[in-house]
Amino acid sequence: GASSCPPVRVFDAEHLNEQLHTAFTAFVQSTTQLKWSSNWTEEGVNSEAANHVKQKPASSMVPKSRRLPPSVDINLSMIFKWYKEDFQHPLPTHYSQSIKVVGDEEDVAITTWVGKLDHLKDHDRHVLGVVMKYLQPSKRKALLTLPHIGTKATSYGDVLPLSSAVKVSYLPYDWSNDSAAVMEM
């Protein structure tokens, strides 16, 4: 298969939901990249970068020192863009009842957080809502706790909202042959 393609596996009917869950989780966690701004990391504020003060020209009406806002570019597999329609609706009831991905409280937090990203296209928000549930817990927590108020004034002195701190993009698809997946017959 192609290098960007999930590995091909054989599944059995008795454990299909669990096996698909494991495969999807592995795919999301291995392909989703979070690119944090220089003053923010998955663990929180990068104190060395946060202490760096950006100087404005003396003639500027904006105060001379402002930190860059924490931001993240969430890079997803191109497969999520190509098959965006598959992520527009909740998982089938029989699947979602047999596999609990995140707890109810965290599910509500994810839904609320994604709902605030009104600058994103609807399909990007839907895909992000699904992907968030399968990310490593540390990455999910870092995104859910991304500060978004009072972090930086724009040139007009406004506070940047969460929507300007989160971008979604899709990684180029690697069509080269995944030689590790090739089996000799």
Side-chain angles (χ1 to χ4, degrees), residues 43-129:
E43 292 76 35
V45 174
N46 176 349
S47 58
E48 184 178 312
N51 289 332
H52 174 71
V53 175
K54 184 175 181 180
Q55 296 295 324
K56 300 280 184 184
S59 62
S60 173
M61 298 298 287
V62 177
K64 290 185 180 182
S65 63
R66 295 285 189 207
R67 272 191 349 202
L68 294 172
S71 63
V72 62
D73 188 2
I74 304 170
N75 297 303
L76 303 172
S77 168
M78 186 61 77
I79 291 173
F80 290 114
K81 187 172 188 176
W82 290 336
Y83 296 97
K84 61 189 172 199
E85 293 83 16
D86 294 342
F87 301 98
Q88 300 300 309
H89 306 286
L91 293 172
T93 306
H94 70 278
Y95 179 81
S96 59
Q97 289 175 347
S98 66
I99 302 289
K100 194 70 167 168
V101 181
V102 295
D104 293 339
E105 191 174 306
E106 195 166 23
D107 192 35
V108 169
I110 290 168
T111 302
T112 302
W113 185 82
V114 171
K116 292 178 183 178
L117 303 175
D118 55 3
H119 69 293
L120 296 178
K121 295 176 184 170
D122 284 345
H123 67 266
D124 289 338
R125 285 200 326 262
H126 290 292
V127 166
L128 193 52

Side-chain angles (χ1 to χ4, degrees), residues 4 6 14 16 22 34-35 42 61 64 67 93 98 112 116 121 143 152 166 169 183:
S4 290
E14 186 178 337
L16 182 62
T22 300
L34 304 181
K35 300 209 182 236
E42 194 172 306
M61 298 298 287
K64 290 185 180 182
R67 272 191 349 202
T93 306
S98 66
T112 302
K116 292 178 183 178
K121 295 176 184 170
L143 288 171
K152 180 188 184 298
V166 178
S169 58
M183 298 203 276

Side-chain angles (χ1 to χ4, degrees), residues 6 8 39 57 61 63 71 73 75 98 115 120 130 145 152-154 162 173 175-176:
V8 177
N39 66 323
M61 298 298 287
S71 63
D73 188 2
N75 297 303
S98 66
L120 296 178
V130 172
T145 59
K152 180 188 184 298
T154 64
L162 177 63
Y173 198 80
W175 289 98
S176 66

Side-chain angles (χ1 to χ4, degrees), residues 3 5 8 12 15 17-18 31-32 46 58 78 82 86 99 107 121 130 135 139 157 166 177:
S3 292
C5 200
V8 177
D12 65 80
H15 302 103
N17 283 344
E18 293 85 4
T31 60
T32 302
N46 176 349
M78 186 61 77
W82 290 336
D86 294 342
I99 302 289
D107 192 35
K121 295 176 184 170
V130 172
L135 279 178
K139 289 184 178 182
V166 178
N177 191 12

